[in-house]
Amino acid sequence: MKILLTNDDSIQAKGLAVLWSELKEIAEVVVVAPDRERSATGHGITMDIPLRAEKSYLFDGKAWAVNGTPADCVKLAVNCLLEEEPDLVIAGINRGSNLGVDIFYSGTVSGALEGIILGFPAIAVSVTEYLNPDYRYAASFTRKLAPKVFEKGICKDTLLNINVPSIAPEEIQGVEITRLGRRKYINSFEERVDPRGKAYYWLGGDVVDSIDESSARDTDVASISKRKVSVTPIQVDLTNYRAMETLRDFFDDLS
């Protein structure tokens, strides 16, 4: 089994190293990751400057550091850097959760998403703590999951978005298959002034998890609150099929 491993926290990130240490025991692993942190870059790709891939001494020398986004890393790896196509693309382990609408901003999820766009099964892995994350369970869980995804042939148009509570392995309460929950942020922009007297803005804010007890039992947000691992299947197709018929009627008199 050949695994392409990437992330958005940079090639120096601890989560990447911990995951690589587990995966190298079961597969041939090549790391292609950003040369610096690229969190919250979403699915951006680089088109206005050249991409550079520097061979790295890390990960037994089977690694490149790229001056681009996670999506760039996967594109470049598959099309230019790898001698053979991967059997599986894995992004992580991300420092911090990727729940609900986080997936639209996440570089980690986008790295995996680029994998399925290119036709490979993919997994995105995150732990739900930013300041002092515990990567142990997330890494061992991914090591056990990867061969199953490879052997059983999960749909190539679907990625598995994994979120793991950042707690001791013995405190994990199980695994749940989930849907995306509701997660919103209270955006807060702090205005500051640079040495030349020009204003600039620093984005911050707090997360707000909305859990409707009557309908949210199967969400990723609810699963994490119960100290369970959340596994959410995500596809590229964002079409709202329920709205299509309504829209046909709506636009009848405009055609």
Side-chain angles (χ1 to χ4, degrees), residues 122-227:
I123 302 170
V125 191
S126 305
V127 294
T128 60
E129 171 62 41
Y130 183 80
L131 295 178
N132 189 29
D134 186 335
Y135 297 110
R136 291 175 294 168
Y137 192 88
S140 63
F141 180 82
T142 307
R143 174 178 174 168
K144 290 182 285 187
L145 176 63
K148 290 183 176 292
V149 172
F150 171 63
E151 293 164 7
K152 297 193 176 182
I154 289 179
C155 298
K156 288 187 176 181
D157 63 350
T158 301
L159 74 89
L160 298 181
N161 185 40
I162 314 295
N163 281 275
V164 180
S166 182
I167 55 181
E170 62 271 16
E171 296 179 15
I172 299 290
Q173 298 300 304
V175 180
E176 286 188 338
I177 307 303
T178 59
R179 61 183 174 87
L180 294 175
R182 297 179 182 179
R183 166 164 274 208
K184 297 182 179 180
Y185 291 86
I186 301 174
N187 292 320
S188 174
F189 288 92
E190 181 178 341
E191 183 177 353
R192 301 180 184 179
V193 179
D194 69 19
R196 297 186 178 182
K198 294 185 178 181
Y200 67 95
Y201 303 88
W202 197 272
L203 174 62
D206 297 319
V207 66
V208 179
D209 292 334
S210 175
I211 301 179
D212 182 343
E213 293 299 331
S214 65
S215 62
R217 297 173 187 168
D218 59 347
T219 67
D220 52 1
V221 175
S223 180
I224 292 301
S225 72
K226 293 181 289 186
R227 296 190 162 197

Side-chain angles (χ1 to χ4, degrees), residues 4-254:
L4 170 59
L5 183 58
T6 191
N7 73 347
D8 71 359
D9 289 329
S10 89
I11 198 168
Q12 302 285 346
K14 182 179 179 181
L16 184 68
V18 173
L19 183 54
W20 173 81
S21 294
E22 288 280 352
L23 294 177
K24 73 182 179 68
E25 300 299 325
I26 62 167
E28 178 184 339
V29 183
V30 177
V31 175
V32 182
D35 60 1
R36 58 192 183 279
E37 184 166 349
R38 289 287 190 165
S39 297
T41 54
H43 207 95
I45 57 175
T46 302
M47 300 182 68
D48 57 344
I49 61 171
L51 284 175
R52 302 185 186 278
E54 298 290 337
K55 202 77 169 67
S56 173
Y57 65 89
L58 298 170
F59 309 109
D60 291 341
K62 297 178 180 179
W64 281 268
V66 177
N67 65 327
T69 66
D72 286 330
C73 290
V74 175
K75 280 183 178 291
L76 193 63
V78 170
N79 289 284
C80 299
L81 302 177
L82 301 185
E83 294 181 0
E84 297 180 272
E85 290 188 342
D87 297 307
L88 182 62
V89 175
I90 300 180
I93 301 168
N94 187 65
R95 183 178 63 172
S97 61
N98 278 306
L99 303 167
V101 297
D102 292 346
I103 68 163
F104 293 103
Y105 306 105
S106 168
T108 299
V109 174
S110 292
L113 188 64
E114 186 61 36
I116 64 171
I117 289 173
L118 295 176
F120 308 105
I123 302 170
V125 191
S126 305
V127 294
T128 60
E129 171 62 41
Y130 183 80
L131 295 178
N132 189 29
D134 186 335
Y135 297 110
R136 291 175 294 168
Y137 192 88
S140 63
F141 180 82
T142 307
R143 174 178 174 168
K144 290 182 285 187
L145 176 63
K148 290 183 176 292
V149 172
F150 171 63
E151 293 164 7
K152 297 193 176 182
I154 289 179
C155 298
K156 288 187 176 181
D157 63 350
T158 301
L159 74 89
L160 298 181
N161 185 40
I162 314 295
N163 281 275
V164 180
S166 182
I167 55 181
E170 62 271 16
E171 296 179 15
I172 299 290
Q173 298 300 304
V175 180
E176 286 188 338
I177 307 303
T178 59
R179 61 183 174 87
L180 294 175
R182 297 179 182 179
R183 166 164 274 208
K184 297 182 179 180
Y185 291 86
I186 301 174
N187 292 320
S188 174
F189 288 92
E190 181 178 341
E191 183 177 353
R192 301 180 184 179
V193 179
D194 69 19
R196 297 186 178 182
K198 294 185 178 181
Y200 67 95
Y201 303 88
W202 197 272
L203 174 62
D206 297 319
V207 66
V208 179
D209 292 334
S210 175
I211 301 179
D212 182 343
E213 293 299 331
S214 65
S215 62
R217 297 173 187 168
D218 59 347
T219 67
D220 52 1
V221 175
S223 180
I224 292 301
S225 72
K226 293 181 289 186
R227 296 190 162 197
K228 293 185 176 182
V229 176
S230 165
V231 180
T232 308
I234 295 174
Q235 61 184 4
V236 175
D237 187 355
L238 298 178
T239 306
N240 185 339
Y241 291 97
R242 291 176 298 175
M244 289 179 67
E245 198 59 43
T246 300
L247 286 172
R248 287 190 184 99
D249 295 339
F250 183 81
F251 284 99
D252 272 349
D253 61 345
L254 298 180

